[in-house]
Each structure stands twice: as structure tokens, then as C-alpha cells.
Amino acid sequence: MYPLNYIEPVFRPPSEWKSLILQVTNGCSYNKCTFCDMYTADNKKFKPKKTDVIEQELLKIVASGLPVGRVFLADGDAMMLPFNRLKEILLLIKTHLPQVTRVSSYCLPRNLTNKTVEQLTELRALGLTLVYVGCESGDDEVLQLIEKGETYKSSLIALNKIKQAGMKSSVMILNGLGGPELSKQHAINSARLMNAAQPDFLSTLVVSFPLGEERFAKNFIENNHQPFRLLEQQELFQEMKLLLSELELEKTIFRSDHASNYLVLKGVLGKDKATLVNTVQMAIDKSTHIPLRQEWQRGL
């Protein structure tokens, strides 16, 4: 829609489907997570885009006359840019697209290690009000096996910084990430992390490996675990029930409606907790009253 030349593939959160995708970096600077193949193509080597190039792209958008209400900073690791570079980009957006009501970005917890709450507060004041944090799990053993490079503690520190700066956080947890062996601790410790952080939004999707799971699975064998396998439908429901049962959230908008999920769940936690748990239990009981996605309907 927008007249920009992207380095494909470009990914964005489902809720940003109407946003201008502004590619301020290419790829991911970390790019070691074994579950993720998003930025493994040769043309996705990490590289920040120069500020003057970003400004020229914004001028193209202005000249096009196309409406822009929100901006998403791509690629997968835009928040690794230094504070001053992010500030420059946000000022350019304010200058050329003053009507924009929200700027958002993916964010790895490590991206905030060298950014202070005061700096994040300044970025929020310039329009960066929402960050999507891929925590994936709150369990340190699972995080180590998937080579996330994060821990329960590092994730919580980052999420607390975001909250203290007045930004909103949208957290992703991957259902089935620990396989059957680590399913219980993955669910319990992910809930523990969310209870401590109280994010504004929480989403889950089902882990999958469209390019094959060999790279992911080898760490389980090499670290003396059972061979990894994807959870079956009923196992996914059991893990989801445990996660929901352990969550003690005050007013977090919860979504489990990504195309990878068999069961669509939406609500606000905690007021809808009992309803959501009951819905999952009905799916476990194989109630005909619960519509489930068929295999052909699922995907990334």
C-alpha cells in the first residue's frame, strides 16, 4: 500500500495491519533463537538504516497523500538502536507525520539494558507508546534450551522499565515451547513472570517450525532431555489451562487468536479468567459447543 521498497520478508504484529511499516533496521541483531527462522535469509543480515534515508521515505509517504495514523518500526530489533537514534527517528515522524497517534516496535529485553527509564520516558513522550516483547517463556531452563539469551530476571527488568516509563507492553508467550517434558514448568513460570510484570497485553501462539525443527530440537538431546516433539492438540489445551489457572492479572487484555491456535480465546484477565479456563476445559472434554480450527485453517 505504501510506496516504500522493503527488504523482504517483513513481519509485524497482527494488530499493526493498518500501520505504516517503517523499516528502520533490517533483520535482527541477535538472531540466535533456535525457534525463529524469521531473519535467517541471506538478505536479512542485520543493518540499521541511515537517518537521512528514513527521512526520504517519510517524505515519500507525505507526497503519496496516503493516510497514516500509526507507525510500526521494523524489523525485529528496532529497539536495539541507541537512544539518540531512536529519538531522531521519532522526531522525524513527528515533523513529517504529525497526525500519527502511536508508534510501536518489537523489543527484546536486552534492547533495554543500556536504556534508562528516563530515556524511555522521553521516547514515550515523542510517540513511542507500545512495545511488543517476545518473552516466549518465563522458565529459565526453556529459555536456555532455545538460546533466547534472556532469563526470567532479564525479562522482568525490561518489562518493569517499560511500565515505569509509562509505555504499554504487549507480551508473547509460545504455547508448546518446552515440548511435553517441560510443558508444566514452562506454563507455571511463564504465568509467574506475567504476574510479576502485569503487562497491558498478553498473547499466545503455538510454536511451529515451517523450515524444520532440527536446529531447535538438537539442544534438547545435547542437554540430556527427552527428544523434543510438538505438543498434540489436547496437550496444548492442558498447557493453556495450566497457564491461565496460574495467571493472577489485574487488567491485562488477553488474546490467543493467532492463526496457529486451535482454540480462539479472548478476554480481560483477571475478570474473564474463570470463563477462559472453563472454555479450555470444554475443549479438553471435546465438547461440540467449542469451535476449533481445523489443521488446514492453521498457519503463521
Side-chain angles (χ1 to χ4, degrees), residues 18-70:
K18 287 186 177 180
S19 302
L20 164 65
I21 309 301
L22 190 63
Q23 200 170 35
V24 301
T25 66
N26 180 46
C28 172
S29 67
Y30 181 67
N31 207 23
K32 296 178 183 177
C33 301
T34 59
F35 66 89
C36 179
D37 296 313
M38 291 167 65
Y39 305 107
T40 54
D42 290 341
N43 66 333
K44 298 305 291 185
K45 302 297 183 185
F46 181 78
K47 186 178 181 181
K49 188 175 288 184
K50 293 181 179 179
T51 308
D52 60 335
V53 175
I54 295 171
E55 182 167 27
Q56 290 304 311
E57 292 185 339
L58 290 170
L59 290 171
K60 281 185 181 180
I61 298 298
V62 174
S64 74
L66 293 169
V68 180
R70 294 179 176 179

Short mmCIF file of all heavy atoms in Angstrom, two decimals, residues 18-70:
data_model
loop_
_atom_site.label_atom_id
_atom_site.label_comp_id
_atom_site.label_asym_id
_atom_site.label_seq_id
_atom_site.Cartn_x
_atom_site.Cartn_y
_atom_site.Cartn_z
N LYS A 18 -2.95 -2.11 9.93
CA LYS A 18 -3.27 -0.83 9.29
C LYS A 18 -2.14 0.18 9.40
O LYS A 18 -2.24 1.29 8.87
CB LYS A 18 -4.53 -0.23 9.93
CG LYS A 18 -5.83 -0.94 9.57
CD LYS A 18 -7.01 -0.17 10.14
CE LYS A 18 -8.33 -0.81 9.73
NZ LYS A 18 -9.49 -0.04 10.29
N SER A 19 -1.06 -0.17 10.07
CA SER A 19 0.01 0.78 10.35
C SER A 19 0.96 0.93 9.17
O SER A 19 1.11 0.02 8.34
CB SER A 19 0.81 0.33 11.58
OG SER A 19 0.00 0.21 12.71
N LEU A 20 1.62 2.08 9.11
CA LEU A 20 2.76 2.25 8.21
C LEU A 20 3.92 1.46 8.79
O LEU A 20 4.33 1.69 9.93
CB LEU A 20 3.14 3.73 8.11
CG LEU A 20 4.53 4.03 7.51
CD1 LEU A 20 4.60 3.59 6.05
CD2 LEU A 20 4.88 5.51 7.64
N ILE A 21 4.45 0.51 8.03
CA ILE A 21 5.62 -0.25 8.48
C ILE A 21 6.86 0.50 8.01
O ILE A 21 7.14 0.56 6.82
CB ILE A 21 5.60 -1.68 7.91
CG1 ILE A 21 4.25 -2.35 8.17
CG2 ILE A 21 6.74 -2.49 8.52
CD1 ILE A 21 3.86 -2.45 9.62
N LEU A 22 7.57 1.07 8.96
CA LEU A 22 8.76 1.85 8.65
C LEU A 22 9.98 1.02 9.02
O LEU A 22 10.27 0.80 10.19
CB LEU A 22 8.75 3.16 9.44
CG LEU A 22 9.80 4.21 9.07
CD1 LEU A 22 9.63 4.69 7.63
CD2 LEU A 22 9.73 5.40 10.03
N GLN A 23 10.70 0.55 8.01
CA GLN A 23 11.81 -0.38 8.22
C GLN A 23 13.07 0.41 8.58
O GLN A 23 13.86 0.77 7.74
CB GLN A 23 12.02 -1.22 6.96
CG GLN A 23 12.78 -2.50 7.19
CD GLN A 23 12.74 -3.39 5.95
OE1 GLN A 23 12.75 -2.91 4.82
NE2 GLN A 23 12.68 -4.69 6.16
N VAL A 24 13.28 0.61 9.89
CA VAL A 24 14.43 1.41 10.34
C VAL A 24 15.67 0.55 10.56
O VAL A 24 16.78 1.07 10.70
CB VAL A 24 14.09 2.20 11.62
CG1 VAL A 24 12.91 3.14 11.36
CG2 VAL A 24 13.77 1.28 12.79
N THR A 25 15.47 -0.78 10.63
CA THR A 25 16.59 -1.73 10.64
C THR A 25 16.21 -2.89 9.73
O THR A 25 15.02 -3.09 9.44
CB THR A 25 16.91 -2.28 12.05
OG1 THR A 25 15.81 -3.09 12.49
CG2 THR A 25 17.17 -1.16 13.04
N ASN A 26 17.19 -3.65 9.32
CA ASN A 26 16.93 -4.87 8.58
C ASN A 26 17.38 -6.05 9.44
O ASN A 26 18.48 -6.07 9.97
CB ASN A 26 17.71 -4.87 7.25
CG ASN A 26 17.46 -6.14 6.46
OD1 ASN A 26 16.33 -6.59 6.31
ND2 ASN A 26 18.54 -6.73 5.95
N GLY A 27 16.49 -7.04 9.60
CA GLY A 27 16.85 -8.22 10.35
C GLY A 27 16.85 -8.04 11.85
O GLY A 27 16.24 -7.11 12.38
N CYS A 28 17.56 -8.93 12.53
CA CYS A 28 17.64 -8.95 13.99
C CYS A 28 19.10 -9.01 14.40
O CYS A 28 19.85 -9.86 13.90
CB CYS A 28 16.89 -10.16 14.54
SG CYS A 28 17.08 -10.43 16.31
N SER A 29 19.51 -8.14 15.31
CA SER A 29 20.92 -8.08 15.70
C SER A 29 21.35 -9.31 16.50
O SER A 29 22.52 -9.67 16.53
CB SER A 29 21.19 -6.82 16.53
OG SER A 29 20.52 -6.88 17.78
N TYR A 30 20.41 -9.98 17.15
CA TYR A 30 20.72 -11.18 17.95
C TYR A 30 20.63 -12.43 17.06
O TYR A 30 21.62 -13.12 16.84
CB TYR A 30 19.78 -11.27 19.14
CG TYR A 30 20.05 -12.46 20.02
CD1 TYR A 30 21.23 -12.56 20.77
CD2 TYR A 30 19.13 -13.51 20.12
CE1 TYR A 30 21.49 -13.66 21.57
CE2 TYR A 30 19.39 -14.61 20.92
CZ TYR A 30 20.57 -14.68 21.64
OH TYR A 30 20.81 -15.78 22.44
N ASN A 31 19.43 -12.72 16.62
CA ASN A 31 19.19 -13.75 15.59
C ASN A 31 19.79 -15.12 15.94
O ASN A 31 20.32 -15.82 15.07
CB ASN A 31 19.74 -13.29 14.23
CG ASN A 31 18.99 -13.92 13.07
OD1 ASN A 31 17.84 -14.33 13.21
ND2 ASN A 31 19.63 -13.99 11.92
N LYS A 32 19.72 -15.51 17.21
CA LYS A 32 20.23 -16.81 17.63
C LYS A 32 19.14 -17.72 18.18
O LYS A 32 19.41 -18.90 18.47
CB LYS A 32 21.32 -16.63 18.69
CG LYS A 32 22.56 -15.91 18.19
CD LYS A 32 23.58 -15.72 19.32
CE LYS A 32 24.80 -14.93 18.84
NZ LYS A 32 25.77 -14.69 19.94
N CYS A 33 17.94 -17.21 18.38
CA CYS A 33 16.86 -18.02 18.94
C CYS A 33 16.57 -19.21 18.03
O CYS A 33 16.30 -19.03 16.84
CB CYS A 33 15.60 -17.18 19.12
SG CYS A 33 15.79 -15.74 20.19
N THR A 34 16.62 -20.41 18.57
CA THR A 34 16.51 -21.59 17.73
C THR A 34 15.11 -21.85 17.21
O THR A 34 14.92 -22.62 16.27
CB THR A 34 16.99 -22.84 18.49
OG1 THR A 34 16.18 -23.01 19.67
CG2 THR A 34 18.46 -22.72 18.88
N PHE A 35 14.10 -21.20 17.81
CA PHE A 35 12.72 -21.40 17.37
C PHE A 35 12.35 -20.46 16.22
O PHE A 35 11.28 -20.60 15.62
CB PHE A 35 11.73 -21.17 18.53
CG PHE A 35 11.72 -19.75 19.02
CD1 PHE A 35 10.87 -18.80 18.46
CD2 PHE A 35 12.57 -19.34 20.02
CE1 PHE A 35 10.87 -17.49 18.90
CE2 PHE A 35 12.58 -18.04 20.48
CZ PHE A 35 11.73 -17.11 19.90
N CYS A 36 13.21 -19.49 15.91
CA CYS A 36 12.85 -18.41 14.99
C CYS A 36 13.65 -18.49 13.70
O CYS A 36 14.89 -18.47 13.72
CB CYS A 36 13.08 -17.06 15.68
SG CYS A 36 12.71 -15.64 14.62
N ASP A 37 12.94 -18.55 12.58
CA ASP A 37 13.56 -18.53 11.26
C ASP A 37 13.23 -17.26 10.49
O ASP A 37 13.46 -17.17 9.28
CB ASP A 37 13.09 -19.74 10.43
CG ASP A 37 13.53 -21.07 11.04
OD1 ASP A 37 14.71 -21.17 11.41
OD2 ASP A 37 12.68 -21.97 11.15
N MET A 38 12.71 -16.27 11.18
CA MET A 38 12.19 -15.08 10.51
C MET A 38 13.27 -14.29 9.77
O MET A 38 13.03 -13.72 8.71
CB MET A 38 11.48 -14.17 11.52
CG MET A 38 10.18 -14.75 12.05
SD MET A 38 9.54 -13.87 13.51
CE MET A 38 9.18 -12.26 12.84
N TYR A 39 14.47 -14.26 10.34
CA TYR A 39 15.51 -13.38 9.77
C TYR A 39 16.77 -14.16 9.40
O TYR A 39 17.88 -13.66 9.52
CB TYR A 39 15.84 -12.26 10.76
CG TYR A 39 14.62 -11.48 11.18
CD1 TYR A 39 14.07 -11.63 12.47
CD2 TYR A 39 13.98 -10.62 10.30
CE1 TYR A 39 12.94 -10.93 12.85
CE2 TYR A 39 12.83 -9.92 10.67
CZ TYR A 39 12.33 -10.08 11.95
OH TYR A 39 11.20 -9.39 12.32
N THR A 40 16.58 -15.41 8.94
CA THR A 40 17.74 -16.24 8.62
C THR A 40 18.14 -16.18 7.14
O THR A 40 19.18 -16.71 6.77
CB THR A 40 17.46 -17.71 9.00
OG1 THR A 40 16.24 -18.13 8.36
CG2 THR A 40 17.32 -17.85 10.51
N ALA A 41 17.33 -15.55 6.31
CA ALA A 41 17.66 -15.44 4.89
C ALA A 41 18.90 -14.55 4.71
O ALA A 41 19.17 -13.65 5.52
CB ALA A 41 16.48 -14.85 4.11
N ASP A 42 19.64 -14.80 3.63
CA ASP A 42 20.90 -14.08 3.39
C ASP A 42 20.69 -12.57 3.30
O ASP A 42 21.56 -11.79 3.69
CB ASP A 42 21.56 -14.58 2.10
CG ASP A 42 22.11 -15.99 2.26
OD1 ASP A 42 22.32 -16.42 3.42
OD2 ASP A 42 22.33 -16.66 1.23
N ASN A 43 19.53 -12.15 2.79
CA ASN A 43 19.29 -10.71 2.62
C ASN A 43 18.78 -10.04 3.89
O ASN A 43 18.49 -8.85 3.88
CB ASN A 43 18.29 -10.47 1.49
CG ASN A 43 16.90 -11.00 1.81
OD1 ASN A 43 16.75 -11.95 2.58
ND2 ASN A 43 15.87 -10.39 1.24
N LYS A 44 18.71 -10.81 5.00
CA LYS A 44 18.22 -10.25 6.26
C LYS A 44 19.33 -10.07 7.29
O LYS A 44 19.07 -10.07 8.50
CB LYS A 44 17.10 -11.13 6.83
CG LYS A 44 15.87 -11.26 5.94
CD LYS A 44 15.27 -9.91 5.55
CE LYS A 44 14.63 -9.22 6.71
NZ LYS A 44 13.93 -7.97 6.31
N LYS A 45 20.55 -9.90 6.85
CA LYS A 45 21.64 -9.59 7.77
C LYS A 45 21.35 -8.26 8.45
O LYS A 45 20.97 -7.29 7.80
CB LYS A 45 22.97 -9.53 7.04
CG LYS A 45 23.35 -10.80 6.29
CD LYS A 45 23.52 -11.98 7.23
CE LYS A 45 23.98 -13.22 6.46
NZ LYS A 45 24.04 -14.41 7.34
N PHE A 46 21.60 -8.22 9.75
CA PHE A 46 21.21 -7.01 10.50
C PHE A 46 21.99 -5.78 10.05
O PHE A 46 23.22 -5.82 9.91
CB PHE A 46 21.43 -7.21 12.00
CG PHE A 46 21.01 -6.00 12.79
CD1 PHE A 46 19.67 -5.77 13.05
CD2 PHE A 46 21.95 -5.08 13.23
CE1 PHE A 46 19.27 -4.65 13.75
CE2 PHE A 46 21.55 -3.96 13.93
CZ PHE A 46 20.21 -3.74 14.19
N LYS A 47 21.23 -4.70 9.84
CA LYS A 47 21.84 -3.43 9.48
C LYS A 47 20.88 -2.28 9.78
O LYS A 47 19.75 -2.29 9.30
CB LYS A 47 22.22 -3.41 7.99
CG LYS A 47 22.99 -2.16 7.58
CD LYS A 47 23.38 -2.21 6.12
CE LYS A 47 24.17 -0.96 5.72
NZ LYS A 47 24.55 -0.99 4.27
N PRO A 48 21.30 -1.31 10.57
CA PRO A 48 20.46 -0.14 10.80
C PRO A 48 20.38 0.70 9.52
O PRO A 48 21.32 0.74 8.73
CB PRO A 48 21.19 0.63 11.91
CG PRO A 48 22.16 -0.34 12.49
CD PRO A 48 22.53 -1.28 11.37
N LYS A 49 19.25 1.37 9.33
CA LYS A 49 19.09 2.24 8.18
C LYS A 49 19.49 3.66 8.56
O LYS A 49 19.22 4.11 9.67
CB LYS A 49 17.62 2.22 7.70
CG LYS A 49 17.38 2.95 6.39
CD LYS A 49 15.93 2.78 5.94
CE LYS A 49 15.67 1.37 5.45
NZ LYS A 49 14.30 1.21 4.90
N LYS A 50 20.16 4.35 7.66
CA LYS A 50 20.61 5.71 7.94
C LYS A 50 19.42 6.65 8.11
O LYS A 50 18.40 6.51 7.44
CB LYS A 50 21.53 6.19 6.82
CG LYS A 50 22.86 5.44 6.73
CD LYS A 50 23.74 6.00 5.62
CE LYS A 50 25.06 5.25 5.56
NZ LYS A 50 25.94 5.77 4.47
N THR A 51 19.61 7.62 8.98
CA THR A 51 18.52 8.53 9.32
C THR A 51 18.05 9.32 8.10
O THR A 51 16.85 9.55 7.92
CB THR A 51 18.95 9.50 10.44
OG1 THR A 51 19.48 8.74 11.53
CG2 THR A 51 17.77 10.32 10.93
N ASP A 52 18.98 9.75 7.24
CA ASP A 52 18.58 10.54 6.08
C ASP A 52 17.76 9.70 5.10
O ASP A 52 16.86 10.22 4.43
CB ASP A 52 19.79 11.16 5.38
CG ASP A 52 20.79 10.13 4.88
OD1 ASP A 52 20.81 9.02 5.44
OD2 ASP A 52 21.54 10.44 3.95
N VAL A 53 18.04 8.39 5.04
CA VAL A 53 17.25 7.51 4.19
C VAL A 53 15.83 7.36 4.75
O VAL A 53 14.84 7.38 4.01
CB VAL A 53 17.92 6.13 4.06
CG1 VAL A 53 17.04 5.16 3.28
CG2 VAL A 53 19.29 6.26 3.40
N ILE A 54 15.74 7.24 6.07
CA ILE A 54 14.43 7.16 6.72
C ILE A 54 13.62 8.42 6.46
O ILE A 54 12.42 8.36 6.16
CB ILE A 54 14.60 6.92 8.23
CG1 ILE A 54 15.25 5.56 8.49
CG2 ILE A 54 13.25 7.02 8.96
CD1 ILE A 54 15.65 5.31 9.92
N GLU A 55 14.27 9.57 6.52
CA GLU A 55 13.56 10.82 6.27
C GLU A 55 13.05 10.88 4.82
O GLU A 55 11.92 11.33 4.58
CB GLU A 55 14.45 12.03 6.55
CG GLU A 55 13.72 13.35 6.34
CD GLU A 55 14.45 14.54 6.90
OE1 GLU A 55 15.69 14.48 6.99
OE2 GLU A 55 13.79 15.55 7.26
N GLN A 56 13.86 10.41 3.87
CA GLN A 56 13.40 10.40 2.48
C GLN A 56 12.18 9.49 2.32
O GLN A 56 11.26 9.81 1.54
CB GLN A 56 14.55 9.94 1.57
CG GLN A 56 15.69 10.94 1.44
CD GLN A 56 15.22 12.31 0.95
OE1 GLN A 56 14.49 12.41 -0.05
NE2 GLN A 56 15.62 13.34 1.66
N GLU A 57 12.15 8.40 3.03
CA GLU A 57 10.99 7.51 2.96
C GLU A 57 9.76 8.17 3.55
O GLU A 57 8.65 8.04 3.01
CB GLU A 57 11.30 6.20 3.68
CG GLU A 57 12.35 5.35 2.97
CD GLU A 57 12.55 3.99 3.61
OE1 GLU A 57 12.21 3.85 4.80
OE2 GLU A 57 13.05 3.09 2.92
N LEU A 58 9.93 8.89 4.64
CA LEU A 58 8.80 9.61 5.23
C LEU A 58 8.28 10.68 4.27
O LEU A 58 7.05 10.88 4.16
CB LEU A 58 9.21 10.24 6.56
CG LEU A 58 9.45 9.25 7.71
CD1 LEU A 58 10.07 9.97 8.90
CD2 LEU A 58 8.15 8.57 8.13
N LEU A 59 9.17 11.35 3.57
CA LEU A 59 8.75 12.35 2.59
C LEU A 59 7.97 11.71 1.43
O LEU A 59 7.03 12.31 0.90
CB LEU A 59 9.98 13.12 2.06
CG LEU A 59 10.65 14.05 3.08
CD1 LEU A 59 11.97 14.59 2.54
CD2 LEU A 59 9.71 15.20 3.45
N LYS A 60 8.35 10.49 1.05
CA LYS A 60 7.60 9.77 0.02
C LYS A 60 6.17 9.50 0.49
O LYS A 60 5.21 9.61 -0.28
CB LYS A 60 8.28 8.44 -0.29
CG LYS A 60 9.49 8.52 -1.19
CD LYS A 60 9.99 7.11 -1.51
CE LYS A 60 11.22 7.13 -2.39
NZ LYS A 60 11.70 5.75 -2.70
N ILE A 61 6.05 9.12 1.76
CA ILE A 61 4.73 8.85 2.32
C ILE A 61 3.88 10.12 2.31
O ILE A 61 2.70 10.10 1.93
CB ILE A 61 4.84 8.30 3.75
CG1 ILE A 61 5.59 6.96 3.75
CG2 ILE A 61 3.47 8.15 4.39
CD1 ILE A 61 4.92 5.87 2.95
N VAL A 62 4.48 11.23 2.71
CA VAL A 62 3.77 12.50 2.72
C VAL A 62 3.31 12.86 1.30
O VAL A 62 2.16 13.25 1.08
CB VAL A 62 4.66 13.62 3.29
CG1 VAL A 62 3.97 14.98 3.15
CG2 VAL A 62 4.99 13.36 4.75
N ALA A 63 4.21 12.71 0.32
CA ALA A 63 3.89 13.04 -1.06
C ALA A 63 2.79 12.14 -1.64
O ALA A 63 2.03 12.55 -2.51
CB ALA A 63 5.15 12.94 -1.92
N SER A 64 2.70 10.91 -1.12
CA SER A 64 1.68 9.98 -1.63
C SER A 64 0.28 10.39 -1.23
O SER A 64 -0.70 10.00 -1.89
CB SER A 64 1.96 8.57 -1.11
OG SER A 64 1.62 8.45 0.27
N GLY A 65 0.17 11.14 -0.14
CA GLY A 65 -1.14 11.56 0.33
C GLY A 65 -1.92 10.47 1.04
O GLY A 65 -3.07 10.66 1.43
N LEU A 66 -1.29 9.31 1.22
CA LEU A 66 -1.98 8.20 1.90
C LEU A 66 -2.11 8.48 3.39
O LEU A 66 -1.19 9.04 4.00
CB LEU A 66 -1.21 6.90 1.68
CG LEU A 66 -1.18 6.38 0.23
CD1 LEU A 66 -0.17 5.24 0.10
CD2 LEU A 66 -2.57 5.93 -0.20
N PRO A 67 -3.21 8.10 3.98
CA PRO A 67 -3.40 8.36 5.42
C PRO A 67 -2.50 7.49 6.28
O PRO A 67 -2.30 6.31 6.00
CB PRO A 67 -4.87 8.02 5.65
CG PRO A 67 -5.19 7.01 4.59
CD PRO A 67 -4.36 7.40 3.39
N VAL A 68 -1.95 8.08 7.32
CA VAL A 68 -1.12 7.34 8.28
C VAL A 68 -1.55 7.73 9.69
O VAL A 68 -1.42 8.89 10.08
CB VAL A 68 0.38 7.65 8.11
CG1 VAL A 68 1.19 6.84 9.13
CG2 VAL A 68 0.85 7.32 6.70
N GLY A 69 -2.07 6.76 10.42
CA GLY A 69 -2.47 7.03 11.80
C GLY A 69 -1.52 6.44 12.82
O GLY A 69 -1.33 6.99 13.90
N ARG A 70 -0.89 5.32 12.42
CA ARG A 70 0.04 4.64 13.31
C ARG A 70 1.27 4.20 12.52
O ARG A 70 1.19 3.93 11.32
CB ARG A 70 -0.62 3.42 13.96
CG ARG A 70 -1.75 3.78 14.91
CD ARG A 70 -2.38 2.52 15.49
NE ARG A 70 -3.40 2.83 16.49
CZ ARG A 70 -4.11 1.92 17.14
NH1 ARG A 70 -3.92 0.63 16.89
NH2 ARG A 70 -5.01 2.29 18.04
#
